Amino acid sequence: MRLASTLPRTSDRTYETFVYAERYLGGGTRTYSPYSEHIDGTPAYHPRVGHRTFALPSFFLRSGQYTWLGNGLLSPDVAHYHDGRALLMPVHPDALSCEELLHRDILAAAEPGPPILVSPTANVRTVFVHAIAGRPVEPHFLKLHYPRRLSRFTRRLRQPIIELELWVAKELDRIRTPFLAEVGGGVIGPDGQGSEDVHAIEEDRWGFILREALPRHAPLPGGSDLMPCFALYGTDHFSPNDPPLLAQIVEHSGEHAEDFITERILAPMIGMWIDALRSAGFLLETHGQNTLFAYDPASRRSAVAYRDCALYISPPLRTQIGLPLDYPPKNVIGLDVKHALPKVLSLVYDRFMGHHHLAYIARAAQQHLGLPEGRLQAAAQAIFRARIGALGSLFPEHEFYYAEELYPNNRWELVDTGERPVWR
């Protein structure tokens, strides 16, 4: 996709560029793991080879069959799914085809809801909504229950994780992180009132999360294209010989490649990560899929934002900041996450952001813009040291990453890779 012929802009609210970038500009961006390209799903719903759009089934659930979860972030999108009396439950077709899907009996007895016209995203289980019952709606995303394996994990979306993501979204909004806000979610299953084991019931409930399509706290340049950051360096599925968008945008800007990438990508991305750590004890997962980039060819302005609130939380850091000691039910280091904070810091910073993302930016810049990889590594190190302060002592000497195996129960292990970090 060439910069000069991009599709309609985000200001047109069509989001066609966003969807195109999500689906077709990711070639060669998932070579960091032997499991990263795995998708256990139906080809029709595959982001690259599947249909342009498909109809997402939905069901009307009544009182006693569902729970609506909110976080106080107001959004008009909520009204499409919950009116206080019933829940419109969207379900991915690949989830419906799983024999072990829980609460299938409730769906079988429920009134069918209207079809929801969606496009798949690179993440497969997150879909972009175009219309409901044939009527166009304000664009938004749905993150869905997907009891199949994507990469090395099975992507179930159960109540504790939904509660985590909504809790995190409220905090990210509080500290004014530029991000796509997750504003509500619904789960299917009995309400559990009077049960002696409410936690077990909540673990069995699964559902969806409603996510906005424009970032809060990130004034996007007028007329800009918004895209996942992997689209900057990924190969175009339909035009594999085109230079990556990173090279096209840098050349269009007229700026020196090192200055553009350092000031417009590295500095805001690393700064956003450190700000979340220092202000909320959050470890953002700023890899190429969760980090968003916007660029306006007319004004040559840009912006960086974040998405996906399923991140890790450090209670000691939140205590040090002076924040309340109320935590969500999942992803809390020292509680359900048994790995030590330094190892998790390395996982999300050194590997997710550095190895899985910044290294790809650096290779694209070297191959297409003639910029030595070491120059960007040095720039990132300088930004990190200038911003991290005393928290830098928490990071380990070597990088930590997943042991190279599958995790069918999502119980993962971290191992010392023996590699020294090059992006901090």
Side-chain angles (χ1 to χ4, degrees):
M1 184 171 68
R2 292 190 175 275
L3 184 67
S5 60
T6 50
L7 294 164
R9 313 288 184 185
T10 54
S11 58
D12 297 330
R13 313 311 292 272
T14 61
Y15 297 85
E16 292 185 44
T17 300
F18 201 153
V19 174
Y20 186 96
E22 279 273 2
R23 299 189 64 180
Y24 303 121
L25 295 186
T29 63
R30 294 189 176 188
T31 58
Y32 48 78
S33 162
Y35 307 110
S36 57
E37 283 277 21
H38 179 84
I39 296 176
D40 178 16
T42 305
Y45 313 123
H46 191 286
R48 287 195 305 277
V49 301
H51 301 310
R52 179 182 177 275
T53 60
F54 65 89
L56 192 70
S58 71
F59 303 83
F60 284 114
L61 303 183
R62 305 299 175 180
S63 177
Q65 298 177 318
Y66 77 91
T67 300
W68 175 257
L69 304 168
N71 56 6
L73 299 184
L74 301 179
S75 172
D77 298 331
V78 169
H80 297 305
Y81 302 94
H82 187 241
D83 62 3
R85 301 182 304 276
L87 176 74
L88 183 65
M89 170 66 77
V91 185
H92 197 286
D94 279 341
L96 281 178
S97 66
C98 288
E99 292 183 2
E100 67 274 19
L101 182 68
L102 295 173
H103 306 307
R104 187 184 295 277
D105 56 330
I106 296 178
L107 294 179
E111 176 188 351
I116 303 174
L117 185 67
V118 302
S119 292
T121 68
N123 157 280
V124 181
R125 66 159 168 177
T126 300
V127 295
F128 182 88
V129 178
H130 300 278
I132 300 176
R135 295 187 297 273
V137 296
E138 192 75 4
H140 57 275
F141 294 95
L142 295 173
K143 185 174 183 179
L144 303 169
H145 181 61
Y146 199 84
R148 295 172 176 267
R149 183 164 71 88
L150 301 177
S151 184
R152 69 177 74 229
F153 296 106
T154 301
R155 307 294 175 157
R156 301 177 183 91
L157 189 59
R158 292 171 170 164
Q159 181 168 342
I161 291 295
I162 296 174
E163 291 178 355
L164 158 73
E165 298 201 32
L166 296 176
W167 186 90
V168 167
K170 187 174 182 178
E171 281 287 275
L172 289 178
D173 187 64
R174 177 185 65 81
I175 64 174
R176 302 189 65 79
T177 299
F179 81 119
L180 300 187
E182 297 178 349
V183 296
V187 293
I188 184 174
D191 59 25
Q193 291 183 3
S195 171
E196 295 181 357
D197 196 352
V198 174
H199 294 298
I201 291 176
E202 290 178 351
E203 283 285 354
D204 283 345
R205 292 188 189 130
W206 55 265
F208 71 98
I209 295 174
L210 173 60
R211 179 188 296 158
E212 294 179 331
L214 276 179
R216 299 188 177 201
H217 314 302
L220 297 182
S224 63
D225 287 322
L226 182 67
M227 65 193 76
C229 275
F230 68 72
L232 291 172
Y233 46 84
T235 301
D236 190 321
H237 180 71
F238 297 108
S239 303
N241 295 322
D242 278 3
L245 279 183
L246 178 68
Q248 297 182 49
I249 290 172
V250 169
E251 291 178 358
H252 179 273
S253 74
E255 298 178 31
H256 188 274
E258 183 176 356
D259 293 340
F260 184 99
I261 297 172
T262 298
E263 295 171 10
R264 296 175 181 259
I265 301 176
L266 299 186
M269 188 182 307
I270 295 171
M272 178 173 64
W273 193 93
I274 294 175
D275 286 346
L277 187 70
R278 296 175 66 94
S279 301
F282 287 169
L283 284 65
L284 300 183
E285 297 190 0
T286 41
H287 48 62
Q289 184 169 288
N290 284 357
T291 316
L292 307 174
F293 183 76
Y295 178 74
D296 173 30
S299 66
R300 292 178 166 81
R301 294 173 57 228
S302 61
V304 168
Y306 179 75
R307 66 174 167 183
D308 202 313
C309 295
L311 48 78
Y312 298 106
I313 302 157
S314 170
L317 290 181
R318 289 181 64 82
T319 299
Q320 181 179 324
I321 297 165
L323 296 173
L325 302 181
D326 59 323
Y327 299 114
K330 289 289 184 180
N331 283 22
V332 182
I333 299 170
L335 297 181
D336 67 302
V337 177
K338 303 305 181 183
H339 303 285
L341 176 60
K343 295 181 180 181
V344 186
L345 284 169
S346 183
L347 170 70
V348 298
Y349 189 93
D350 296 329
R351 303 300 288 194
F352 289 175
M353 179 156 60
H355 183 272
H356 295 5
H357 182 28
L358 301 184
Y360 284 80
I361 290 176
R363 281 195 289 272
Q366 180 168 310
Q367 293 171 6
H368 297 276
L369 298 169
L371 180 62
E373 187 175 23
R375 299 279 288 274
L376 292 180
Q377 291 174 351
Q381 292 167 11
I383 295 166
F384 181 85
R385 288 194 299 267
R387 297 291 298 273
I388 195 64
L391 295 182
S393 63
L394 297 174
F395 288 74
E397 180 182 2
H398 293 157
E399 295 185 359
F400 280 78
Y401 191 54
Y402 299 124
E404 286 299 347
E405 58 186 88
L406 297 177
Y407 298 114
N409 296 318
N410 291 357
R411 295 174 181 170
W412 40 279
E413 297 294 333
L414 294 178
V415 297
D416 186 339
T417 66
E419 299 177 24
R420 292 187 176 274
V422 296
W423 294 99
R424 61 170 166 90

